[in-house]
Amino acid sequence: MNAIFDALKWFGESAQWSGPDGIPHRFVEHCWYSLLAFAVTVLIALPLGLLFGHVRRGRLASVTGFAVTSSANAARALPTLGLLILAVVLTSAGDLVPILIPLVVLAVPPVLVNAYAGVQQVEPGLRDAAEGMGMTGAQVILRLEMPVALPLILLGLRTAAIQIVSTATLAAYVGLGGFGRYIVDGYARQEYDQMAGGAILVALMAVLIQALFTVLRRWAVSPGVRLQYAGA
Amino acid sequence: MTPVSPALAALAIGDDGEPLIRWDWIRRNLSDDILSALKEHLILSFTPILLGLVIALPLGIACARWRRLYGPVLAVTSVLYALPSIALFVVLVAFSGLTYTTVVVPLTLYTLSVLVPSVVDGLGSVPAHVRQSAVAMGFGELRRLVQVDLPIALPVVMAGLRVATVSNISLVSVGALIGIGGLGELFTDGLRRDFPTPLVVGIVLIITLALLSDLILLLIQRLLTPWERARATRRKNRGQSRDRDRVPAAREGETA
């Protein structure tokens, strides 16, 4: 237990709150990698998931359905640390891009699968009504399927965000910044208080994101949809 | 150098022409490094699965019985699930030092946070009429649980078990950052020497191990639930589909 108190003391030292190795700077770094990876993930996975979910009939639909679901299973099996290091060893170390590739590869499946499943589960009656009102395909996706699927879409986004934030910690191991620096440097120098401090910061980030998405869900999901989910 | 096929030689990359895989390295290190890492990896990933299963079954059954318990348990497990494994490893070093326990405990917690909801959902999926028939036939509570409820819950529990197993196998490698990572130690080794072969070997072995375990669990599930198969064929013949066959929403992904 003493070790944890040491970590708390570590937070109190003024050296931790300024300079390039200070918590504020590391926080900005961590957020920067995470946001970048998250943005790329959303840009790739969300439109694809919505589109694949929207197309329901035909041979193509069954092929994409299988591909989407198996991508989620495959992503679980991928060892993050290995991919990260491989990306760095194969390219030049210190670059941001080799870090982003594994982060995005691992975060795409949860967004893709949840958007896909969310749209698939929209009641056929609702879609028929929307089409009957003369909505075009794009309108059906944006104005009906997306809002109804929003709880699941948000779940996917949250999963991806948490995954990215925790994986971004590992980026320190291949020479980048972020909160992972404290863990990696602390381990190298056998300074446990610093390691534990870093671990606590990373855990706080993850909990913060979870809270953020809970709020977002309450704010963004339409009351009718929320009711339906609460009843289910 | 061992002869390398042209296709593999074409994989040569980088300015120094270092190939992606050096087969002679694998041959030299197979018996010591790779196999012992594999053994460690198996121990580190399957101990938490077994522990998790042993704890999750009674806990899940209790939660399904006393629904009030489920809310708090679910809240705790979902927070635990969000915590990055590296953070948990580091914090545990303070308590258990650099031992297997430090890796096994967080992975057991992850397993629990997947399995407890599966057990509860699985038990919840027992149709009311089935339960009532069992009661009407004079089944006592324990007998009903063992002979009726649990078998019906099995597919859902097994689905959770497969998710937990696959993610545990890949998560163990993160332990390499504190020096206990099974095949993950091949990753740190590869980085230290700027040498891709151990990385490729580690990644391939971990993925193979994960997929193989998934397959084995699936086979076990099929053997344990012969009635599901019979029902599926009957349904196929009738040309119906059932809700459960549709794409399930993904469980929350695991954190690195």
Side-chain angles (χ1 to χ4, degrees), chain B residues 139 141-152 227:
Chain B
F139 277 50
E141 265 195 63
L142 188 66
R143 198 163 147 230
R144 200 190 78 206
L145 181 72
V146 175
Q147 294 188 349
V148 179
D149 292 358
L150 283 179
I152 292 179
W227 60 89

mmCIF file with all atom_site columns, all heavy atoms in Angstrom, chain B residues 139 141-152 227:
data_model
loop_
_atom_site.group_PDB
_atom_site.id
_atom_site.type_symbol
_atom_site.label_atom_id
_atom_site.label_alt_id
_atom_site.label_comp_id
_atom_site.label_asym_id
_atom_site.label_entity_id
_atom_site.label_seq_id
_atom_site.pdbx_PDB_ins_code
_atom_site.Cartn_x
_atom_site.Cartn_y
_atom_site.Cartn_z
_atom_site.occupancy
_atom_site.B_iso_or_equiv
_atom_site.pdbx_formal_charge
_atom_site.auth_seq_id
_atom_site.auth_comp_id
_atom_site.auth_asym_id
_atom_site.auth_atom_id
_atom_site.pdbx_PDB_model_num
ATOM 1   N N   . PHE B 1 139 ? -38.862 -30.637 -10.207 1.00 0.00 ? 139 PHE B N   1
ATOM 2   C CA  . PHE B 1 139 ? -37.441 -30.333 -10.067 1.00 0.00 ? 139 PHE B CA  1
ATOM 3   C C   . PHE B 1 139 ? -37.234 -29.384 -8.892  1.00 0.00 ? 139 PHE B C   1
ATOM 4   O O   . PHE B 1 139 ? -37.914 -28.362 -8.797  1.00 0.00 ? 139 PHE B O   1
ATOM 5   C CB  . PHE B 1 139 ? -36.906 -29.626 -11.328 1.00 0.00 ? 139 PHE B CB  1
ATOM 6   C CG  . PHE B 1 139 ? -36.530 -30.581 -12.430 1.00 0.00 ? 139 PHE B CG  1
ATOM 7   C CD1 . PHE B 1 139 ? -37.405 -31.574 -12.834 1.00 0.00 ? 139 PHE B CD1 1
ATOM 8   C CD2 . PHE B 1 139 ? -35.308 -30.474 -13.064 1.00 0.00 ? 139 PHE B CD2 1
ATOM 9   C CE1 . PHE B 1 139 ? -37.063 -32.445 -13.849 1.00 0.00 ? 139 PHE B CE1 1
ATOM 10  C CE2 . PHE B 1 139 ? -34.968 -31.345 -14.082 1.00 0.00 ? 139 PHE B CE2 1
ATOM 11  C CZ  . PHE B 1 139 ? -35.838 -32.326 -14.482 1.00 0.00 ? 139 PHE B CZ  1
ATOM 12  N N   . GLU B 1 141 ? -34.788 -26.663 -6.754  1.00 0.00 ? 141 GLU B N   1
ATOM 13  C CA  . GLU B 1 141 ? -34.081 -25.513 -7.308  1.00 0.00 ? 141 GLU B CA  1
ATOM 14  C C   . GLU B 1 141 ? -32.714 -25.866 -7.847  1.00 0.00 ? 141 GLU B C   1
ATOM 15  O O   . GLU B 1 141 ? -32.329 -25.456 -8.935  1.00 0.00 ? 141 GLU B O   1
ATOM 16  C CB  . GLU B 1 141 ? -33.953 -24.434 -6.230  1.00 0.00 ? 141 GLU B CB  1
ATOM 17  C CG  . GLU B 1 141 ? -35.073 -23.431 -6.342  1.00 0.00 ? 141 GLU B CG  1
ATOM 18  C CD  . GLU B 1 141 ? -34.787 -22.198 -5.566  1.00 0.00 ? 141 GLU B CD  1
ATOM 19  O OE1 . GLU B 1 141 ? -33.805 -21.513 -5.902  1.00 0.00 ? 141 GLU B OE1 1
ATOM 20  O OE2 . GLU B 1 141 ? -35.535 -21.918 -4.614  1.00 0.00 ? 141 GLU B OE2 1
ATOM 21  N N   . LEU B 1 142 ? -31.968 -26.650 -7.070  1.00 0.00 ? 142 LEU B N   1
ATOM 22  C CA  . LEU B 1 142 ? -30.609 -26.974 -7.477  1.00 0.00 ? 142 LEU B CA  1
ATOM 23  C C   . LEU B 1 142 ? -30.632 -27.841 -8.727  1.00 0.00 ? 142 LEU B C   1
ATOM 24  O O   . LEU B 1 142 ? -29.889 -27.611 -9.674  1.00 0.00 ? 142 LEU B O   1
ATOM 25  C CB  . LEU B 1 142 ? -29.893 -27.701 -6.336  1.00 0.00 ? 142 LEU B CB  1
ATOM 26  C CG  . LEU B 1 142 ? -28.403 -27.913 -6.603  1.00 0.00 ? 142 LEU B CG  1
ATOM 27  C CD1 . LEU B 1 142 ? -27.688 -26.566 -6.639  1.00 0.00 ? 142 LEU B CD1 1
ATOM 28  C CD2 . LEU B 1 142 ? -27.791 -28.806 -5.530  1.00 0.00 ? 142 LEU B CD2 1
ATOM 29  N N   . ARG B 1 143 ? -31.543 -28.796 -8.744  1.00 0.00 ? 143 ARG B N   1
ATOM 30  C CA  . ARG B 1 143 ? -31.611 -29.701 -9.880  1.00 0.00 ? 143 ARG B CA  1
ATOM 31  C C   . ARG B 1 143 ? -32.042 -28.932 -11.132 1.00 0.00 ? 143 ARG B C   1
ATOM 32  O O   . ARG B 1 143 ? -31.556 -29.169 -12.237 1.00 0.00 ? 143 ARG B O   1
ATOM 33  C CB  . ARG B 1 143 ? -32.590 -30.822 -9.564  1.00 0.00 ? 143 ARG B CB  1
ATOM 34  C CG  . ARG B 1 143 ? -32.382 -31.989 -10.482 1.00 0.00 ? 143 ARG B CG  1
ATOM 35  C CD  . ARG B 1 143 ? -33.031 -33.250 -9.943  1.00 0.00 ? 143 ARG B CD  1
ATOM 36  N NE  . ARG B 1 143 ? -33.482 -34.020 -11.088 1.00 0.00 ? 143 ARG B NE  1
ATOM 37  C CZ  . ARG B 1 143 ? -34.700 -34.506 -11.207 1.00 0.00 ? 143 ARG B CZ  1
ATOM 38  N NH1 . ARG B 1 143 ? -35.588 -34.323 -10.249 1.00 0.00 ? 143 ARG B NH1 1
ATOM 39  N NH2 . ARG B 1 143 ? -35.031 -35.185 -12.270 1.00 0.00 ? 143 ARG B NH2 1
ATOM 40  N N   . ARG B 1 144 ? -32.949 -27.997 -10.961 1.00 0.00 ? 144 ARG B N   1
ATOM 41  C CA  . ARG B 1 144 ? -33.394 -27.202 -12.101 1.00 0.00 ? 144 ARG B CA  1
ATOM 42  C C   . ARG B 1 144 ? -32.229 -26.380 -12.646 1.00 0.00 ? 144 ARG B C   1
ATOM 43  O O   . ARG B 1 144 ? -32.008 -26.290 -13.842 1.00 0.00 ? 144 ARG B O   1
ATOM 44  C CB  . ARG B 1 144 ? -34.532 -26.277 -11.663 1.00 0.00 ? 144 ARG B CB  1
ATOM 45  C CG  . ARG B 1 144 ? -35.369 -25.794 -12.825 1.00 0.00 ? 144 ARG B CG  1
ATOM 46  C CD  . ARG B 1 144 ? -36.322 -24.714 -12.394 1.00 0.00 ? 144 ARG B CD  1
ATOM 47  N NE  . ARG B 1 144 ? -35.616 -23.456 -12.257 1.00 0.00 ? 144 ARG B NE  1
ATOM 48  C CZ  . ARG B 1 144 ? -36.010 -22.472 -11.454 1.00 0.00 ? 144 ARG B CZ  1
ATOM 49  N NH1 . ARG B 1 144 ? -37.065 -22.613 -10.694 1.00 0.00 ? 144 ARG B NH1 1
ATOM 50  N NH2 . ARG B 1 144 ? -35.330 -21.367 -11.408 1.00 0.00 ? 144 ARG B NH2 1
ATOM 51  N N   . LEU B 1 145 ? -31.464 -25.816 -11.720 1.00 0.00 ? 145 LEU B N   1
ATOM 52  C CA  . LEU B 1 145 ? -30.330 -24.995 -12.137 1.00 0.00 ? 145 LEU B CA  1
ATOM 53  C C   . LEU B 1 145 ? -29.335 -25.817 -12.953 1.00 0.00 ? 145 LEU B C   1
ATOM 54  O O   . LEU B 1 145 ? -28.924 -25.417 -14.045 1.00 0.00 ? 145 LEU B O   1
ATOM 55  C CB  . LEU B 1 145 ? -29.643 -24.425 -10.895 1.00 0.00 ? 145 LEU B CB  1
ATOM 56  C CG  . LEU B 1 145 ? -28.449 -23.516 -11.162 1.00 0.00 ? 145 LEU B CG  1
ATOM 57  C CD1 . LEU B 1 145 ? -28.910 -22.201 -11.730 1.00 0.00 ? 145 LEU B CD1 1
ATOM 58  C CD2 . LEU B 1 145 ? -27.654 -23.295 -9.890  1.00 0.00 ? 145 LEU B CD2 1
ATOM 59  N N   . VAL B 1 146 ? -28.997 -26.992 -12.423 1.00 0.00 ? 146 VAL B N   1
ATOM 60  C CA  . VAL B 1 146 ? -27.951 -27.794 -13.063 1.00 0.00 ? 146 VAL B CA  1
ATOM 61  C C   . VAL B 1 146 ? -28.445 -28.466 -14.329 1.00 0.00 ? 146 VAL B C   1
ATOM 62  O O   . VAL B 1 146 ? -27.746 -28.511 -15.329 1.00 0.00 ? 146 VAL B O   1
ATOM 63  C CB  . VAL B 1 146 ? -27.425 -28.852 -12.060 1.00 0.00 ? 146 VAL B CB  1
ATOM 64  C CG1 . VAL B 1 146 ? -26.429 -29.776 -12.724 1.00 0.00 ? 146 VAL B CG1 1
ATOM 65  C CG2 . VAL B 1 146 ? -26.780 -28.155 -10.873 1.00 0.00 ? 146 VAL B CG2 1
ATOM 66  N N   . GLN B 1 147 ? -29.697 -28.966 -14.298 1.00 0.00 ? 147 GLN B N   1
ATOM 67  C CA  . GLN B 1 147 ? -30.136 -29.778 -15.432 1.00 0.00 ? 147 GLN B CA  1
ATOM 68  C C   . GLN B 1 147 ? -30.936 -29.001 -16.469 1.00 0.00 ? 147 GLN B C   1
ATOM 69  O O   . GLN B 1 147 ? -31.091 -29.469 -17.596 1.00 0.00 ? 147 GLN B O   1
ATOM 70  C CB  . GLN B 1 147 ? -30.978 -30.950 -14.924 1.00 0.00 ? 147 GLN B CB  1
ATOM 71  C CG  . GLN B 1 147 ? -30.140 -31.911 -14.097 1.00 0.00 ? 147 GLN B CG  1
ATOM 72  C CD  . GLN B 1 147 ? -30.887 -33.166 -13.750 1.00 0.00 ? 147 GLN B CD  1
ATOM 73  O OE1 . GLN B 1 147 ? -32.098 -33.254 -13.939 1.00 0.00 ? 147 GLN B OE1 1
ATOM 74  N NE2 . GLN B 1 147 ? -30.179 -34.153 -13.227 1.00 0.00 ? 147 GLN B NE2 1
ATOM 75  N N   . VAL B 1 148 ? -31.461 -27.858 -16.093 1.00 0.00 ? 148 VAL B N   1
ATOM 76  C CA  . VAL B 1 148 ? -32.289 -27.118 -17.053 1.00 0.00 ? 148 VAL B CA  1
ATOM 77  C C   . VAL B 1 148 ? -31.678 -25.755 -17.383 1.00 0.00 ? 148 VAL B C   1
ATOM 78  O O   . VAL B 1 148 ? -31.323 -25.475 -18.526 1.00 0.00 ? 148 VAL B O   1
ATOM 79  C CB  . VAL B 1 148 ? -33.726 -26.929 -16.517 1.00 0.00 ? 148 VAL B CB  1
ATOM 80  C CG1 . VAL B 1 148 ? -34.566 -26.134 -17.512 1.00 0.00 ? 148 VAL B CG1 1
ATOM 81  C CG2 . VAL B 1 148 ? -34.359 -28.280 -16.235 1.00 0.00 ? 148 VAL B CG2 1
ATOM 82  N N   . ASP B 1 149 ? -31.520 -24.911 -16.371 1.00 0.00 ? 149 ASP B N   1
ATOM 83  C CA  . ASP B 1 149 ? -31.107 -23.529 -16.633 1.00 0.00 ? 149 ASP B CA  1
ATOM 84  C C   . ASP B 1 149 ? -29.707 -23.435 -17.236 1.00 0.00 ? 149 ASP B C   1
ATOM 85  O O   . ASP B 1 149 ? -29.503 -22.790 -18.260 1.00 0.00 ? 149 ASP B O   1
ATOM 86  C CB  . ASP B 1 149 ? -31.163 -22.709 -15.336 1.00 0.00 ? 149 ASP B CB  1
ATOM 87  C CG  . ASP B 1 149 ? -32.590 -22.523 -14.851 1.00 0.00 ? 149 ASP B CG  1
ATOM 88  O OD1 . ASP B 1 149 ? -33.499 -23.000 -15.562 1.00 0.00 ? 149 ASP B OD1 1
ATOM 89  O OD2 . ASP B 1 149 ? -32.791 -21.921 -13.791 1.00 0.00 ? 149 ASP B OD2 1
ATOM 90  N N   . LEU B 1 150 ? -28.748 -24.082 -16.576 1.00 0.00 ? 150 LEU B N   1
ATOM 91  C CA  . LEU B 1 150 ? -27.370 -23.956 -17.051 1.00 0.00 ? 150 LEU B CA  1
ATOM 92  C C   . LEU B 1 150 ? -27.167 -24.498 -18.466 1.00 0.00 ? 150 LEU B C   1
ATOM 93  O O   . LEU B 1 150 ? -26.515 -23.842 -19.280 1.00 0.00 ? 150 LEU B O   1
ATOM 94  C CB  . LEU B 1 150 ? -26.391 -24.600 -16.064 1.00 0.00 ? 150 LEU B CB  1
ATOM 95  C CG  . LEU B 1 150 ? -26.120 -23.748 -14.814 1.00 0.00 ? 150 LEU B CG  1
ATOM 96  C CD1 . LEU B 1 150 ? -25.165 -24.469 -13.867 1.00 0.00 ? 150 LEU B CD1 1
ATOM 97  C CD2 . LEU B 1 150 ? -25.550 -22.386 -15.185 1.00 0.00 ? 150 LEU B CD2 1
ATOM 98  N N   . PRO B 1 151 ? -27.722 -25.681 -18.794 1.00 0.00 ? 151 PRO B N   1
ATOM 99  C CA  . PRO B 1 151 ? -27.556 -26.138 -20.181 1.00 0.00 ? 151 PRO B CA  1
ATOM 100 C C   . PRO B 1 151 ? -28.131 -25.156 -21.200 1.00 0.00 ? 151 PRO B C   1
ATOM 101 O O   . PRO B 1 151 ? -27.549 -24.937 -22.253 1.00 0.00 ? 151 PRO B O   1
ATOM 102 C CB  . PRO B 1 151 ? -28.313 -27.470 -20.210 1.00 0.00 ? 151 PRO B CB  1
ATOM 103 C CG  . PRO B 1 151 ? -28.286 -27.945 -18.813 1.00 0.00 ? 151 PRO B CG  1
ATOM 104 C CD  . PRO B 1 151 ? -28.326 -26.718 -17.950 1.00 0.00 ? 151 PRO B CD  1
ATOM 105 N N   . ILE B 1 152 ? -29.276 -24.543 -20.866 1.00 0.00 ? 152 ILE B N   1
ATOM 106 C CA  . ILE B 1 152 ? -29.876 -23.609 -21.816 1.00 0.00 ? 152 ILE B CA  1
ATOM 107 C C   . ILE B 1 152 ? -29.022 -22.339 -21.912 1.00 0.00 ? 152 ILE B C   1
ATOM 108 O O   . ILE B 1 152 ? -28.892 -21.732 -22.972 1.00 0.00 ? 152 ILE B O   1
ATOM 109 C CB  . ILE B 1 152 ? -31.331 -23.278 -21.393 1.00 0.00 ? 152 ILE B CB  1
ATOM 110 C CG1 . ILE B 1 152 ? -32.196 -24.531 -21.555 1.00 0.00 ? 152 ILE B CG1 1
ATOM 111 C CG2 . ILE B 1 152 ? -31.899 -22.149 -22.238 1.00 0.00 ? 152 ILE B CG2 1
ATOM 112 C CD1 . ILE B 1 152 ? -33.624 -24.338 -21.159 1.00 0.00 ? 152 ILE B CD1 1
ATOM 113 N N   . TRP B 1 227 ? -28.660 -30.309 -28.970 1.00 0.00 ? 227 TRP B N   1
ATOM 114 C CA  . TRP B 1 227 ? -30.027 -29.900 -29.340 1.00 0.00 ? 227 TRP B CA  1
ATOM 115 C C   . TRP B 1 227 ? -30.049 -28.630 -30.180 1.00 0.00 ? 227 TRP B C   1
ATOM 116 O O   . TRP B 1 227 ? -30.910 -28.446 -31.023 1.00 0.00 ? 227 TRP B O   1
ATOM 117 C CB  . TRP B 1 227 ? -30.880 -29.732 -28.085 1.00 0.00 ? 227 TRP B CB  1
ATOM 118 C CG  . TRP B 1 227 ? -30.360 -28.696 -27.143 1.00 0.00 ? 227 TRP B CG  1
ATOM 119 C CD1 . TRP B 1 227 ? -30.655 -27.378 -27.158 1.00 0.00 ? 227 TRP B CD1 1
ATOM 120 C CD2 . TRP B 1 227 ? -29.447 -28.898 -26.068 1.00 0.00 ? 227 TRP B CD2 1
ATOM 121 N NE1 . TRP B 1 227 ? -29.985 -26.728 -26.157 1.00 0.00 ? 227 TRP B NE1 1
ATOM 122 C CE2 . TRP B 1 227 ? -29.235 -27.631 -25.465 1.00 0.00 ? 227 TRP B CE2 1
ATOM 123 C CE3 . TRP B 1 227 ? -28.801 -30.005 -25.543 1.00 0.00 ? 227 TRP B CE3 1
ATOM 124 C CZ2 . TRP B 1 227 ? -28.381 -27.461 -24.376 1.00 0.00 ? 227 TRP B CZ2 1
ATOM 125 C CZ3 . TRP B 1 227 ? -27.968 -29.823 -24.462 1.00 0.00 ? 227 TRP B CZ3 1
ATOM 126 C CH2 . TRP B 1 227 ? -27.755 -28.568 -23.888 1.00 0.00 ? 227 TRP B CH2 1
#
